Amino acid sequence: MPPSSSTSDASPPGLFDGVLARGRVREDVSDRAWVQAMLDVEAALAAAEARAGLISAEDAEAIRSGCRAERFDVPALGAAAAAGGNPVIPLVRALTDAVGEPAGHHVHKGATSQDVLDSAAMLVAHRALGSLLDDLGAAAASAARLAETHRHTLVAGRTLLQQALPVTFGFKAAGWLVALDEVRDRLADVRRRRLAVQLGGAVGTLASLGEAGPQVVSYLADELGLSEPAFPWHTIRTRPAELAGALGEAAGVIAKVAADVVLLAQTEVGEVAEDRAGGGSSTLPHKRNPIAAVSASACAAQAPGHVATVLAAMAHEHERAAGSWHAEWGPSRELLRSTGAAAAWLRECLDSLRVDERRMRDNLGLTGGLLLAERVTSELAGHLGRLPAHDLVTDACRRASRTGRPLADELGEVPEVAALVDPARLRELLDPAGWVGSAATFVDRALDRHRARKEEDV
Amino acid sequence: MPPSSSTSDASPPGLFDGVLARGRVREDVSDRAWVQAMLDVEAALAAAEARAGLISAEDAEAIRSGCRAERFDVPALGAAAAAGGNPVIPLVRALTDAVGEPAGHHVHKGATSQDVLDSAAMLVAHRALGSLLDDLGAAAASAARLAETHRHTLVAGRTLLQQALPVTFGFKAAGWLVALDEVRDRLADVRRRRLAVQLGGAVGTLASLGEAGPQVVSYLADELGLSEPAFPWHTIRTRPAELAGALGEAAGVIAKVAADVVLLAQTEVGEVAEDRAGGGSSTLPHKRNPIAAVSASACAAQAPGHVATVLAAMAHEHERAAGSWHAEWGPSRELLRSTGAAAAWLRECLDSLRVDERRMRDNLGLTGGLLLAERVTSELAGHLGRLPAHDLVTDACRRASRTGRPLADELGEVPEVAALVDPARLRELLDPAGWVGSAATFVDRALDRHRARKEEDV
Amino acid sequence: MPPSSSTSDASPPGLFDGVLARGRVREDVSDRAWVQAMLDVEAALAAAEARAGLISAEDAEAIRSGCRAERFDVPALGAAAAAGGNPVIPLVRALTDAVGEPAGHHVHKGATSQDVLDSAAMLVAHRALGSLLDDLGAAAASAARLAETHRHTLVAGRTLLQQALPVTFGFKAAGWLVALDEVRDRLADVRRRRLAVQLGGAVGTLASLGEAGPQVVSYLADELGLSEPAFPWHTIRTRPAELAGALGEAAGVIAKVAADVVLLAQTEVGEVAEDRAGGGSSTLPHKRNPIAAVSASACAAQAPGHVATVLAAMAHEHERAAGSWHAEWGPSRELLRSTGAAAAWLRECLDSLRVDERRMRDNLGLTGGLLLAERVTSELAGHLGRLPAHDLVTDACRRASRTGRPLADELGEVPEVAALVDPARLRELLDPAGWVGSAATFVDRALDRHRARKEEDV
Amino acid sequence: MPPSSSTSDASPPGLFDGVLARGRVREDVSDRAWVQAMLDVEAALAAAEARAGLISAEDAEAIRSGCRAERFDVPALGAAAAAGGNPVIPLVRALTDAVGEPAGHHVHKGATSQDVLDSAAMLVAHRALGSLLDDLGAAAASAARLAETHRHTLVAGRTLLQQALPVTFGFKAAGWLVALDEVRDRLADVRRRRLAVQLGGAVGTLASLGEAGPQVVSYLADELGLSEPAFPWHTIRTRPAELAGALGEAAGVIAKVAADVVLLAQTEVGEVAEDRAGGGSSTLPHKRNPIAAVSASACAAQAPGHVATVLAAMAHEHERAAGSWHAEWGPSRELLRSTGAAAAWLRECLDSLRVDERRMRDNLGLTGGLLLAERVTSELAGHLGRLPAHDLVTDACRRASRTGRPLADELGEVPEVAALVDPARLRELLDPAGWVGSAATFVDRALDRHRARKEEDV
């Protein structure tokens, strides 16, 4: 297979990629990027073998100079992959031809196809996680900004989608921030510790490299900037599995934040809106759809199935799997792509989020004070006991719901209440601003950790 | 967006497509095929509206003549899809421009993006299922041939991967046949009954088509050769879900047959081999890998996760989902692609399967008769009772295993056995050919049904 | 193992069963019910063998009389199952002892453990689907009632959780009805056609039943009221897979309806409420949580993962799987249990649903007419062309959103509009009642089909 | 609800538990254990509030003394859970009654149901992981023993289930060891760092605890021996998700080891056997089924679906999810149970593993030297170039396969080979013992790490 003469430098987006493959990760996991990663592994292998004295530095350099993805014909590699069951076999043939003699001799020395593909997968993941962490970092920065700005903005806390107690919007955003920072830590940790080269030869023993095998593995890791494994992991799939799990977690966190945005943006709630281009509808000119949050949800929803497929494919038989290895390729790549897209969308969503404090305040007033019922219960419980107080307040709430009168009025007419709490205290008890507990403390903690984390990164 | 001047007629394979996207289904679900399907829907919609008297026949014809996928720029559509959250919006703009006035006016009349995408998805599925059924049919034909040819070929029946009782290889192949025919029936049924057009307009009521709405739906179905739904199904996702489930079943059946082949092809078993080009290893020149079966397994392993994602996305909110609809696109397409690839690989596998009757016979002899122990138990049970017979034979088997002597010898020395069964009868009892039960009857049934099915198809 | 003396007739609920195992299905899939189903299979097998002349009618009767679940010690069976890897082995020993000689001899004749467990699984599914269909039928009846009652009740149609166009609440409920009726049809069809007995003996050939094997299978199916398979399906797992897929579809439909209810019940929307006991919060006395809908969602969310596990376990090796068979037991049972619970919760939810027509009307007015923008677009498109009309109306909508003025006022000031549409016509165009398209037609169709379906059932 | 008078101290096994719920984890996750964990949380909450000065030490002590699971009626709690949607509500009522006045007043103070259930879930996980790590540790110890004992035992390395190159059985076992130690580290890390208490009150702000909220959280963590979270995590589900992912990884590793055992135990391979009670078949007296490995596979196969369900349930809406929280309960518990069972089975499997060195040697000889073809290629590549050498040896292998002659003979007759390699060297090249590469080095590394790890644990 002759190297392709094409010099196009990018992978054009597919039909659904505008939605499902947003962000830089799409390029990071493209066919072109994969071919380059496999070539990087071949080049690094040659360099490592030169350092170990197995081949000459000149040969290694000759190999390295042939390892440029744009010189290879991806569709031809894809088609030829069918014969042997993976794309490394035709790539090695093409690279050997491209390098020519004498160095061509030493291409792929001691390696098996899986070594190259597994190591390339780790390289691709390393690069894609870079983009993904960048987008998650920007989303976290937006969440931090919202948490800080809205530290005192009151909003209804909602449980089971019912208004429950007041919180601050800063507290909501701080929760997003904590979640985003947690998965950033998790992904960064997996990236740092668990992305390792794989080199084992046909059955993991590196038989054809003689005594030098483990040394070559070490040099290979050094050349590629990946971890060095103590043991070949061609059939120990904890690394792809842990990466998949961490991506699944990240997707879950993105889905949570996006779900909150979509719910807050409902016409009847209207507390936030995405203030960005797009969001129009083909038929409904007045719609202001939260497209970024919706797309983030859709991309994040791809993750659980992919994680399951990666986990289900862990039982690699003996010294190379009869299908389970190939079964990893698709979901591992899709997980990076779709979680990366989810992160890119969330970044756009939070970056553009417009907050409507007036609607938040109006919505808090919708229930005529019912929202503060717990506080009254709490006050009364000191006098009457928890359950009697609960039952008494519940009754008043039911009456207020039925009659539409404010809870203060209903409660004021209950003799036990009137006897224990004067009207001024009752008003105070029903003021949302006085019943947000430790929200501010938690916001401070979230911001402190976020800032400490960022400085540490520098 | 101006139509693209590109006239390339095919979608080149991606890097992993040689393995993971085998067969014609890859083309059926390509971006190009999707764009054409969406355009087919727009053209059919115009035709249907002309039949309903909503637009003129000339305008419908003008629209139809603009609906040629090769005139549109797929990457540009993909990129533009991000703004509104789906690729239909830019496609409609581009088509409207391409058609020009006055007919451009009537492009997409009364439809919403989801109508076009959902109907196109059904068209794509209809076409892809055609290719898939073709490959499954060829695989079934090979299984039928094997069942017929090897009706009397003895082979070890294995449970929990231990030799258990003799069966015939024809019986094994007939089991594959039955499974393949079942999923062919299932997929053909889904294809015939459940692939329906979707047309509902913005919220499903077809408000902008006035009284004519339901009539247009009916004509649209007729134009496209799809089913007519009694009710818009934009948020009733039973159709994509049922299709996904049927594909998951098909993948499971393919995985079963492929697993059997891989196991039978093991070096130590050697009862079958794939006799086809490929299967070489990059480093191990002697390997004869069952690449087709391995690849079929790998492709089939993609299905369960995709089915789960489609099912998990069924809870479409209100009149259009906030993410769950977009979340279907990827897994629905991947299910067709990977199950299609699995079917194509299985077809190649079975088509090339070489059967080694000698190895089957040799393997049957490995246990020195232990395999027929149940038959002896059965004979003795008539005299001694089932459990005592079971225990007595078990003991003899254990001794035979330990000593390596044939079971016949061990049994012959047990007084209860010697008293009830003479040596000639014991030899007869231990002849595998006499203990395959109703295997031939079942083979006949499988073949009869297969043949009846095929004639029915014509 | 002696039969237990316990005569307790029910399986007490587990700690989470109040939520996760609602309804009669919990009993249908209990350990006790499973033991009874396995015993029913043993009894029917004996009866079938008597009909085939393999054992005497007296022995069959003796066996049947021993097959009463309350006489067996479930925990002892559970513990003893570990030795051989399934609970049938100890059950057969215990049943043989219980029946005593001479009939004990003939217990389990010709069968293998998997035959009994697979056939019992089908019996359990048959019974559980009965309960499930009953609950789904009641839910459908409620949906039909809502569709009928609210045929003309206007409510905002919502896409991406934004108000889009008016629909009727009857149309929403009719969509639920169609979805519920579809999955009822699907489950009833699977129940009728696909739940079959399994009998194959050790490797599927029925070797120990001689010529009579297929006849015994036929009688067994007749005795148990299940389908007769043409071929043993011990390693052809399409039946459990198809059942799982159908349950997954049902769960998805339940999740859709429940999601709508939860969203409609939000404090800020308030269009429906569950009017039933429960729904209180441990700390918030005023909450009216839609517990039934929430619980239905939670139960339905169990399905996709279980379906994936069943599908992933389809590759049964050779003549009995080395793990994949056992792997089905849990998810197959849980799918019945959790989908059954979801159906029971949905029944309660819809049965208790209180509809607030006033809130529906008020919410429709929230956007000052923006909701009807499409209609104005449509009217203007006839004069100006679709895209110009779209752009013009979009601009007016944006101004109305910004200024808070009614859309009618903004539009009235646009010269192109004023020139084409007089104020009375504009008011008419912006009346929601005039823009629900074919909603009533679709409601009628849903109800007609529902009623026809019910009569057919009788 | 009065406390139950039952004093039974154990949870009897269910019908399938002998297979699917092996080991101590079954007890750790039983209903009884869950109730005790919830009561432990209530007791610790009271103690923490006493330390914070919110209630008296006497009241806390009175509450603690009531927190004994055996005094509560689990089925009654389960049934009552339906009303409010979780079992904490009835448990708190029952505990309040049991404690009586005045301390009853202070039961559950400041907490919401989810606080108790989430914290209890972490306690249950902490305990269950203890059992699971114990079983995994024992399995690892067996793997280490096998690696050490069989450091030099030659066995065929197999790729795609074809013999490829020789390895040592010690190397295979060391691979198992590395995998088991990796997931032990992962689970231990999650257990230590990520299992945290949850306390946030109704919406996470701890409003009803005033200033003392965060201090109470800290004391609560201290009382329960769990981590203290910096922020309430009621809607940040990274902890359950990370736990689920780690369990999924562990299950995948168990599945890999079990798959290898099942394959090595095949009748035709016969290199290992489980030497333990059980493994008999109900109908086949001679079978020696690897029941422990098969059961481990079956239990491990439950994991991917459960992980997917937990991940898919991460999008908790606002301040408490409308279903996604409840949706976690089942799969989170089942993951502990089934992965625990898989670990218990694997422990038994490896503990009982009998290795047949003779069969390993015999199997290595099956291909007449083809297995060493790579080595010959490697030697020739130095002279001829890699690809020409590969092609030449491939041809010889094909001839040897066809003729059945030893590879040495075929190669000896190739002029290029004869010219470069003398017969003695050819024999040496084809000796498996000389071609296991760095297998011994990798075994040493695995054992060194295992031992270092164990000492560190002490």
Side-chain angles (χ1 to χ4, degrees), chain B residues 8 15 54 67 89 106 135 143 184 204 224 238 244 246 267 281 283 315 333 341 343 373 377 386 400 404 444 457:
Chain B
S8 125
L15 184 61
L54 298 178
C67 289
I89 301 172
H106 302 296
D135 284 333
R184 289 167 69 206
L224 290 171
T238 46
T267 307
S281 150
T283 52
R333 182 192 210 180
T377 303
R386 209 174 50 80
D444 288 341
D457 269 9

Side-chain angles (χ1 to χ4, degrees), chain D residues 26-335:
Chain D
R26 187 177 63 75
E27 291 281 346
D28 295 331
V29 304
S30 71
D31 278 357
R32 177 62 52 91
W34 262 93
V35 170
Q36 187 58 58
M38 293 192 286
L39 292 168
D40 291 345
V41 174
E42 296 286 359
L45 176 64
E49 290 172 341
R51 283 167 69 179
L54 298 178
I55 69 173
S56 72
E58 293 69 32
D59 286 344
E61 184 46 39
I63 291 170
R64 181 180 299 275
S65 72
C67 289
R68 292 165 46 203
E70 68 274 15
R71 300 180 57 197
F72 294 82
D73 180 347
V74 171
L77 294 171
N86 72 65
V88 179
I89 301 173
L91 181 69
V92 168
R93 289 236 173 219
L95 176 60
T96 302
D97 290 351
V99 170
E101 293 305 318
H105 233 95
H106 302 296
V107 165
H108 195 63
K109 182 183 176 67
T112 193
S113 297
Q114 187 174 354
D115 292 334
V116 175
L117 205 47
D118 276 355
S119 297
M122 293 286 121
L123 264 188
V124 165
H126 200 273
R127 290 162 185 171
L129 286 181
S131 302
L132 177 50
L133 284 167
D134 196 49
D135 283 333
L136 285 176
S142 287
R145 184 178 43 76
L146 290 166
E148 180 123 45
T149 307
H150 295 284
R151 186 190 298 269
H152 302 297
T153 306
L154 291 170
V155 68
R158 296 167 176 106
T159 61
L160 286 70
L161 270 62
Q162 301 286 304
Q163 290 194 12
L165 280 188
V167 298
T168 61
F169 187 66
F171 176 73
K172 280 186 88 88
W176 301 345
L177 175 62
V178 167
L180 289 166
D181 279 346
E182 277 195 24
V183 294
R184 290 167 69 205
D185 286 343
R186 179 94 187 86
L187 287 169
D189 181 61
V190 169
R191 188 178 189 232
R192 197 164 39 235
R193 286 189 311 104
R194 299 291 286 157
L195 302 185
V197 294
Q198 159 58 21
L199 185 67
V203 293
T205 58
L206 288 168
S208 66
L209 294 184
E211 299 291 306
Q215 186 63 65
V216 173
V217 176
S218 180
Y219 289 145
L220 179 66
D222 182 55
E223 293 284 328
L224 290 171
L226 294 173
S227 295
E228 177 190 351
F231 203 94
W233 54 275
H234 52 308
T235 61
I236 304 175
R237 307 313 285 181
T238 47
R239 293 169 198 272
E242 189 167 344
L243 173 59
L247 288 165
E249 274 184 66
V253 160
I254 293 168
K256 188 272 181 286
V257 180
D260 280 359
V261 169
V262 169
L263 289 168
L264 294 172
Q266 289 174 102
T267 306
E268 297 83 2
V269 178
E271 299 179 356
V272 306
E274 291 182 2
D275 195 10
R276 53 190 283 286
S281 149
S282 65
T283 52
L284 302 171
H286 70 280
K287 290 284 293 295
R288 299 287 299 154
N289 292 322
I291 290 291
V294 163
S295 301
S297 294
C299 293
Q302 312 297 305
H306 290 315
V307 175
T309 306
V310 171
L311 292 176
M314 286 183 75
H316 286 215
E317 297 94 346
H318 292 320
E319 280 61 63
R320 178 152 12 272
S324 289
W325 173 52
H326 306 69
E328 271 177 22
W329 304 345
S332 291
R333 184 192 208 179
E334 288 306 320
L335 257 176

